Amino acid sequence: SLKLKDATADSAPLWQIVEATSERDLAAIADKAATAGHVTLQWLLRGTGITATLRGILISVDGQSMTFASSATLMHSAAFATLLANRTISKISHDWKLAVFALSRAGLTVNPPWIDTMIGDYLLHPNRRAHTIEAAALDLLGESLPTLTPDTPAPQAPASLFDGLDDDTEVLDSRSSKVQQAGGELHALVRLAPRLTAQLEEQGSLRLFEEVEMALIPVLAEIERNGFSLDVQALHHLGQ
């Protein structure tokens, strides 16, 4: 089963974002992820649904040291492609299906194992309306999403990370407000994943989560992207 060490449970909620500007930078984070056996990713996207496109990504193993990379850097990185394809690294994110759409449009493929904290939160709280990172953090961590520094203006809270990120006029870098906002969410995600999987195991839903729900992510993404055929005559016959 996918179990991660809660590495930052006793540490101060601080983090640092650096920008990957070369293949060497991305190779370093990929090596760190391979050693740890897991990595957490937070996507910055333009648009929603099947039209979502990749603007950049924040990557972290420990939730404190974060690497930002723009889409232009990612699409030409063999190290990042290898990280996504590596079947020995657990990849943690929130709403993997949306990320799969954006990665596909960028010509990138991701392989399991993966942990989708949005789906895990739904299994734990199926009657709760919101399954955002903020809602999960309040429930599992008992805290609101942090801000990067006290003097950083707080952005309007979106319904999820991907809402409000479709403004393509801002050039994203490690100092951008959207990247800083994503840093707070990524910091929470790293700590959410082990607690969420522990609660799923306690609830008796971890096997369902790992073997069914996670396996369905690429299937549902493909169906949503391409649609599916219906035998109308057969359905009519069944309805009689």
Side-chain angles (χ1 to χ4, degrees):
S1 63
L2 302 178
K3 296 182 181 178
L4 307 175
K5 182 181 178 182
D6 194 350
T8 62
D10 299 321
S11 58
L14 302 173
W15 64 94
Q16 181 181 18
I17 301 174
V18 298
E19 187 158 354
T21 58
S22 68
E23 179 70 359
R24 178 179 295 181
D25 294 336
L26 288 172
I29 189 67
D31 289 344
K32 189 175 181 180
T35 300
H38 61 86
V39 66
T40 306
L41 308 111
Q42 192 61 306
W43 315 93
L44 290 103
L45 307 178
R46 178 185 297 113
T48 59
I50 62 174
T51 63
T53 56
L54 186 64
R55 297 186 67 190
I57 187 177
L58 272 176
I59 315 170
S60 183
V61 172
D62 59 14
Q64 295 176 313
S65 300
M66 303 181 185
T67 300
F68 169 74
S70 67
S71 59
T73 301
L74 295 171
M75 286 189 289
H76 297 92
S77 171
F80 182 66
T82 299
L83 185 155
L84 291 180
N86 192 320
R87 293 181 180 272
T88 68
I89 299 175
S90 296
K91 305 161 196 75
I92 304 158
S93 194
H94 197 77
D95 195 352
W96 259 115
K97 182 159 65 73
L98 186 57
V100 167
F101 291 143
L103 289 170
S104 176
R105 291 174 69 88
L108 294 167
T109 301
V110 59
N111 289 327
W114 37 33
I115 295 176
D116 191 323
T117 54
M118 187 180 75
I119 294 175
D121 186 62
Y122 174 78
L123 288 178
L124 289 176
H125 307 284
N127 295 322
R128 190 171 67 200
R129 182 177 180 182
H131 297 285
T132 61
I133 298 173
E134 183 174 17
L138 282 171
D139 183 65
L140 292 174
L141 303 177
E143 62 185 51
S144 299
L145 294 181
T147 53
L148 190 62
T149 59
D151 57 347
T152 300
Q156 270 193 323
S160 73
L161 174 69
F162 309 107
D163 293 339
L165 292 184
D166 54 358
D167 178 8
D168 58 4
T169 61
E170 180 185 1
V171 177
L172 296 183
D173 58 34
S174 59
R175 297 168 297 177
S176 301
S177 61
K178 289 182 174 65
V179 175
Q180 293 177 4
Q181 175 189 337
E185 299 204 15
L186 180 59
H187 177 75
L189 276 180
V190 172
R191 294 173 296 142
L192 273 173
R195 299 187 188 190
L196 184 146
T197 52
Q199 286 205 12
L200 287 171
E201 185 170 32
E202 182 179 344
Q203 186 191 65
S205 301
L206 185 59
R207 185 176 178 184
L208 169 67
F209 175 74
E210 292 178 346
E211 298 182 9
V212 179
E213 297 291 351
M214 295 301 92
L216 281 174
I217 290 173
V219 177
L220 295 175
E222 191 71 14
I223 290 174
E224 189 169 336
R225 183 165 46 220
N226 298 325
F228 56 91
S229 299
L230 289 176
D231 188 330
V232 178
Q233 289 186 343
L235 287 175
H236 180 72
H237 177 72
L238 289 172
Q240 292 179 341

